Amino acid sequence: MGKAFDIGLERLVGGGVGEPRNNEAARLADSPSAAGSGTFYLETFGCQMNEHDSEKVAGVLLARGYRQVESADAANVVLYNTCSIREKAAQKVFSRLGEYRLTQREGQTIGVLGCVAQQEGEKIFSRAPWVSLVCGSASYRKLPELLAQLEAGNRRVTGLDTDTDETFETEVTRRDNPWRAYLTIIEGCDKACSYCVVPFTRGPERSRTSASILEEVRQLADAGYTEVQLLGQTVNSYADPSARKMRFSELLVAVAEVPGIRRVRFTTSHPRDFGKDIVEAIEAVPAICEHVHLPVQSGSTKVLRGMARTYSREEYLEKIAMLRAAKREISLTTDLIVGFPGETEKDFQETLSLLDVAQYDGAFCFKYSPRPNTPSLKMADAIPEEEKSRRLAILLEKQREIQRARNEQLVGRELEVMVEGKSKKEFQWSGHTSSNKVMNFTSRAQESLGDYVQVKVMGATPNSLVGEKSETGS
Ligand code: SAM
Ligand code: SF4
């Protein structure tokens, strides 16, 4: 849901994102086109990439002199960053826009960003005539220009091109977490899974140069960030566009070697491009976190073919075997879809049996949702909604028991945790392990958020670990 902050440019500049960045923010804020007194409210819905896009959008607006406020009521510009991956998410957009209409003030601009903006385009203006800006993620570079057009009196503006080879890099990202920084290294997707809107809403794959990624990581480390999460719809399909041609696994190592960086995460990996070199990088470099998110979607080769996933059940299981044989214990998570057109009971049973073999530490499970423009929309043998719900419930229950058993195996172990939260209950803290498990733990010390401590696992639930800070300390 929406993140709301009211911070000035000083916070951004003082946020310690490095000298060149500060100068750029100051230069943009001083520019004649700066909005000065403008305020914006930004609400975000959807995946981590949307959350991070919003951080970048906020950075761009702050650098233009806008101020971020905590409620739509207080804003001159209301921006809604949307998701259309499943029908329910897309439906929510128009009901939310309806709510904005009720509270819209005279002269207030309402803009739609993200996947629904790209998918629906100018149709949004007819369905919600109170909206005046529609911009998809592949056009975010144009946002300052679009806002300037609105400031100049234009009633309606759009940014809807996807035929770009540019990535949305900005000197002035406004980051929401003081220790963990997200960094998009590859945008868009060329994979064309038959059920998925992402190739239409985010455009073709475009990678950032390794030099610009590493420069940003150095600035982040200087600013005090210790964890970096590299993002991409298929992050491991990264293709360095510079002459250096750094491989994804080399990039992981290079990021982990930046002084001050203690944890490197990456998501989402596509099975087809997941090679031994990535496992070797994790084995060799402790700062690369021992967690891989490798969506399988289905355990049936027939369904995988229908989904155009480009691998079979057997090929996927070979990747799992490679990960399980690694010298470090790597936790594994996945995404699964039930009720894809033509999925029989036998296909579904194959998904269940794949869970037995893969032994995932976590899974995001979804009912298939038909999406506009996608090839699977026209496929025969749709599965009734009740049957999808039945399969989903069985899948969730099975995965829950697997997680409980896997987490229980960790009882007695000592794991490193980044301290991320303090509970209202005295002496209770929480954070994540390198394997990305949530740890709720007891410590009588006054912990500092962002620190790393050793915690002994005392108990387990399907979704988290319970621990006590070790006597050996941090
Ligand atoms: N790029 C990533 C990948 O290939 O795994 C993730 C893309 S998507 C944001 C996250 C997940 O949403 C997918 O892995 C898939 O399980 C699910 N998803 C995508 N389209 C869907 C659809 N039409 N119906 C149900 N689930 C869907
Ligand atoms: Fe969608 Fe497939 Fe691309 Fe993932 S790899 S974003 S599921 S098309």
Side-chain angles (χ1 to χ4, degrees):
M1 285 304 288
K3 289 230 162 61
F5 292 87
D6 187 352
I7 59 163
L9 196 58
E10 315 76 48
R11 168 67 180 81
L12 179 80
V13 171
V17 272
E19 229 1 78
R21 179 178 295 257
N22 296 350
N23 290 343
E24 177 68 2
R27 183 184 68 71
L28 287 166
D30 288 344
S31 74
S33 63
S37 61
T39 50
F40 72 99
Y41 173 74
L42 177 55
E43 179 169 343
T44 308
F45 196 85
C47 64
Q48 189 53 59
M49 296 215 44
N50 265 14
E51 292 282 351
H52 182 46
D53 281 348
S54 284
E55 290 183 327
K56 292 193 273 188
V57 167
V60 165
L61 295 184
L62 289 163
R64 282 180 59 80
Y66 281 86
R67 196 162 54 84
Q68 192 163 8
V69 292
E70 291 192 20
S71 73
D73 295 347
N76 304 127
V77 179
V78 175
L79 294 173
Y80 188 23
N81 191 356
T82 60
C83 168
S84 66
I85 198 84
R86 280 167 292 278
E87 197 181 356
K88 256 197 190 144
Q91 277 166 354
K92 273 191 194 149
V93 172
F94 285 97
S95 62
R96 191 79 186 104
L97 287 175
E99 288 163 21
Y100 281 142
R101 183 197 193 177
L102 295 176
T103 55
Q104 188 176 26
R105 281 187 290 104
E106 177 80 27
Q108 189 182 49
T109 297
I110 295 180
V112 181
L113 308 179
C115 293
V116 174
Q118 191 67 52
Q119 190 177 289
E120 299 296 316
E122 297 192 0
K123 277 189 267 170
I124 293 178
F125 295 137
S126 8
R127 221 171 136 183
W130 54 97
V131 170
S132 43
L133 179 147
V134 172
C135 183
S137 68
S139 305
Y140 284 162
R141 290 191 74 81
K142 279 197 188 156
L143 263 178
E145 192 188 306
L146 296 177
L147 284 165
Q149 286 172 17
L150 286 174
E151 283 160 23
N154 280 13
R155 173 73 189 89
R156 282 183 175 151
V157 292
T158 54
L160 294 168
D161 297 341
T162 50
D163 58 342
T164 173
D165 53 6
E166 288 179 330
T167 51
F168 178 44
E169 285 169 53
T170 156
E171 295 294 299
V172 286
T173 299
R174 187 281 179 245
R175 291 197 151 80
D176 292 339
N177 182 311
W179 313 287
R180 175 181 301 132
Y182 296 93
L183 230 97
T184 309
I185 64 163
I186 172 170
E187 285 176 8
C189 182
D190 285 347
K191 293 288 186 293
C193 300
S194 65
Y195 51 82
C196 184
V197 288
V198 169
F200 308 97
T201 57
R202 288 189 166 269
E205 269 175 23
R206 290 98 69 202
S207 295
R208 278 178 70 171
T209 64
S210 51
S212 91
I213 295 167
L214 289 168
E215 178 52 29
E216 188 166 355
V217 173
R218 282 189 282 272
Q219 289 177 4
L220 290 165
D222 288 348
Y225 290 92
T226 58
E227 181 176 314
V228 172
Q229 292 203 10
L230 306 181
L231 299 180
Q233 291 295 342
T234 53
V235 73
N236 58 326
S237 310
Y238 173 77
D240 186 358
S242 68
R244 171 66 181 78
K245 297 267 170 270
M246 195 178 262
R247 297 175 76 187
F248 175 66
S249 53
E250 290 178 292
L251 180 69
L252 283 178
V253 174
V255 170
E257 283 173 348
V258 170
I261 295 301
R262 201 152 159 174
R263 283 185 174 179
V264 183
R265 299 189 187 277
F266 55 99
T267 198
T268 294
S269 295
H270 192 285
R272 195 193 70 186
D273 298 333
F274 200 92
K276 181 96 175 94
D277 57 325
I278 303 174
V279 179
E280 284 165 355
I282 299 174
E283 286 177 331
V285 184
I288 304 176
C289 287
E290 49 202 25
H291 169 224
V292 171
H293 185 63
L294 199 66
V296 63
Q297 314 299 359
S298 169
S300 151
T301 297
K302 185 198 94 191
V303 173
L304 288 171
R305 278 212 193 100
M307 290 176 163
R309 282 295 286 183
T310 71
Y311 52 83
S312 65
R313 172 190 173 99
E314 288 66 34
E315 283 161 343
Y316 181 87
L317 285 175
E318 279 168 23
K319 310 269 174 181
I320 296 290
M322 175 175 78
L323 279 154
R324 291 286 180 226
K327 293 189 194 108
R328 276 174 85 190
E329 205 174 318
I330 298 173
S331 86
L332 255 172
T333 54
T334 200
D335 293 347
L336 291 151
I337 298 176
V338 293
F340 186 77
E343 183 190 69
T344 60
E345 181 59 28
K346 180 171 168 286
D347 295 320
F348 175 58
Q349 290 299 330
E350 287 188 43
T351 296
L352 294 179
S353 73
L354 185 123
L355 293 196
D356 285 326
V357 184
Q359 292 287 305
Y360 293 113
D361 295 273
F364 295 104
C365 304
F366 308 104
K367 287 191 271 185
Y368 167 70
S369 168
R371 306 305 299 126
N373 303 320
T374 58
S376 65
L377 192 61
K378 298 199 183 79
M379 286 182 186
D381 301 325
I383 308 297
E385 210 46 41
E386 316 81 76
E387 180 57 17
K388 286 187 206 168
S389 300
R390 185 189 74 85
R391 292 181 190 177
L392 182 66
I394 296 170
L395 189 70
L396 287 170
E397 185 49 33
K398 184 172 182 76
Q399 179 55 28
R400 193 177 157 79
E401 286 317 308
I402 291 173
Q403 279 171 222
R404 183 194 304 281
R406 286 194 66 76
N407 284 348
E408 276 170 1
Q409 284 167 16
L410 295 173
V411 173
R413 297 262 289 271
E414 212 169 90
L415 302 172
E416 185 193 72
V417 174
M418 186 211 247
V419 186
E420 290 161 61
K422 183 178 187 331
S423 159
K424 281 191 193 125
K425 273 204 247 155
E426 213 180 358
F427 309 126
Q428 287 297 313
W429 306 82
S430 64
H432 284 85
T433 63
S434 165
S435 58
N436 210 30
K437 305 231 176 203
V438 172
M439 175 83 84
N440 296 307
F441 66 100
T442 312
S443 167
R444 297 200 164 258
Q446 193 49 48
E447 304 296 349
S448 297
L449 300 185
D451 274 2
Y452 292 84
V453 296
Q454 292 294 326
V455 176
K456 185 164 183 189
V457 184
M458 309 300 288
T461 71
N463 293 315
S464 61
L465 302 171
V466 180
E468 272 174 23
K469 186 178 169 189
S470 306
E471 290 305 314
T472 45
S474 52

